[in-house]
Amino acid sequence: MNQIKVFAPATVANVSCGYDAMGFALSELGDNMVFKKTETKVVRITEIHGADLPFEADKNVAGVVAKLMLQHSEADFGLDIKIQKNFKPGSGLGSSAASAAGTAFAVNELLGSKYDHLQLTKFAMQGEVAACGSAIADNVAACIYGGFILVRSYEPLDIVPIPTPSELVATIIHPQIEIKTEDARKVVPETIPVKTAIAQWANVGGLISGLYAGDFDLIGNSLIDYVAEPQRKLLIPHFDEVKEAAIKSGALGVGISGSGPSMFALSKGMFMAKQIAEAMHAIYEKSGIDYAIYVSNISKTGARPI
Ligand code: HSE
């Protein structure tokens, strides 16, 4: 194989209660990337569409991950990479993770599937270090594995795929303001009272149980974040109004997607998800802020060839 074109899904990290520990992949939104083997042993970013990102391989997340993998596998080829971003960096939808995980998946295919999902996640996490300074796994693991994932442990890395009811649908609103992950991480408290921790880990257990059992009430009741949301929501215009309107329209729960500014709602079935999209529109169309709304199933697969 000399060339591969891949789709790398957008992802929702944290999923309210699972800060840095949970994420899921969207089926209807993601980036397209093309990777072509070259004889030069050099990694070049030859085209970028849809975002203003660096072409220097060492400064571009895709370039960083590709170089790392070619070096690690002692590959005898280089790569030309074309990137089509279909959602914006700084959206909270795992833009850097899609570049990193899409690259990890594609390079692995070109290497003849040398590495497993866990190893690919580790490579992609180095892309996250380049993007925001932290080796976070929730977005990249969701983008590699697809579906819902739990990062059960960082040291050693342990990713647990969580079965997901097929009727679960996500509605996302992306206010077109940029919040840098690095900045949004600074407002999350470094320590929390044990009482808060108890409430938070009980909800993570509830959410995972609800996903396994297809218990939509339990999923909804567990979508509460006592750790990051109280501070981070202050960075997102109209967060409380969007949340209230979406819940009134049938959302099981609403939270911040990753580090924001995107907000996500989960609901049962496409009809409800579209009603929630209308409710979100109604809040934001009066706001004077540009925004995009997406309705998407949960992707059963992660990055894949197209
Ligand atoms: N878990 C990360 C955060 C996701 O909330 O900061 C952003 O990459």
Side-chain angles (χ1 to χ4, degrees), residues 109-125:
E109 293 296 295
L110 294 174
L111 289 167
S113 299
K114 201 174 163 66
Y115 300 110
D116 63 12
H117 278 12
L118 189 67
Q119 184 61 50
L120 293 184
T121 304
K122 289 181 188 170
F123 285 129
M125 283 167 74

Side-chain angles (χ1 to χ4, degrees), residues 2 36-42 44 76-80:
N2 277 320
K36 194 176 169 193
K37 277 186 187 174
T38 60
E39 285 174 4
T40 57
K41 285 200 174 187
V42 171
R44 296 191 312 167
D76 60 357
F77 58 88
L79 285 170
D80 278 357

Side-chain angles (χ1 to χ4, degrees), residues 4 35 66 69-70 77 79 102-112:
I4 186 168
F35 297 78
M69 289 179 73
L70 294 185
F77 58 88
L79 285 170
T103 301
F105 173 82
V107 176
N108 192 41
E109 293 296 295
L110 294 174
L111 289 167

Side-chain angles (χ1 to χ4, degrees), residues 6-10 26 29-33 87 97-99 101-103 143 302-304:
V6 302
F7 172 79
L26 299 173
L29 183 67
D31 291 342
N32 300 333
M33 305 170 86
F87 60 105
S99 292
T103 301
C143 195
R304 58 181 183 271

